[in-house]
Amino acid sequence: MDDKNLGNEWKSTAYNLGGAFVELGKTLMHSVKKGVDVAYDYLNEVDSKKKRENESEK
C-alpha cells in the first residue's frame, strides 16, 4: 500500500466520521426537543389544573 492511498483512506474515514457525528448531533437535538416539549405540555397541564382548583375554591 502506498502512502498516497493511505492518506486518501484517512481523508475518507474522517469525512465519514464527520457525517456520522452530524447525524448523531441531529438525533440528540431532536430527542432533547421532544423531551422539552413533553415537559412543557405537562407543566402547562399542572398549572391549568391548579388554576381551575383555585378558582373553584373561591
Side-chain angles (χ1 to χ4, degrees):
M1 186 184 312
D2 62 358
D3 289 337
K4 232 177 191 189
N5 191 25
L6 182 60
N8 286 337
E9 285 184 36
W10 275 108
K11 284 181 187 178
S12 176
T13 300
Y15 181 79
N16 290 334
L17 279 173
F21 283 118
V22 167
E23 290 302 316
L24 176 63
K26 287 180 183 179
T27 301
L28 289 173
M29 291 304 293
H30 287 139
S31 296
V32 168
K33 183 185 180 312
K34 181 68 174 174
V36 168
D37 289 345
V38 168
Y40 182 78
D41 291 343
Y42 173 75
L43 290 175
N44 278 335
E45 287 176 20
V46 169
D47 286 344
S48 294
K49 188 175 180 181
K50 284 183 181 179
K51 188 176 181 179
R52 283 192 305 260
E53 288 173 357
N54 288 338
E55 288 174 355
S56 67
E57 290 175 357
K58 292 180 181 180

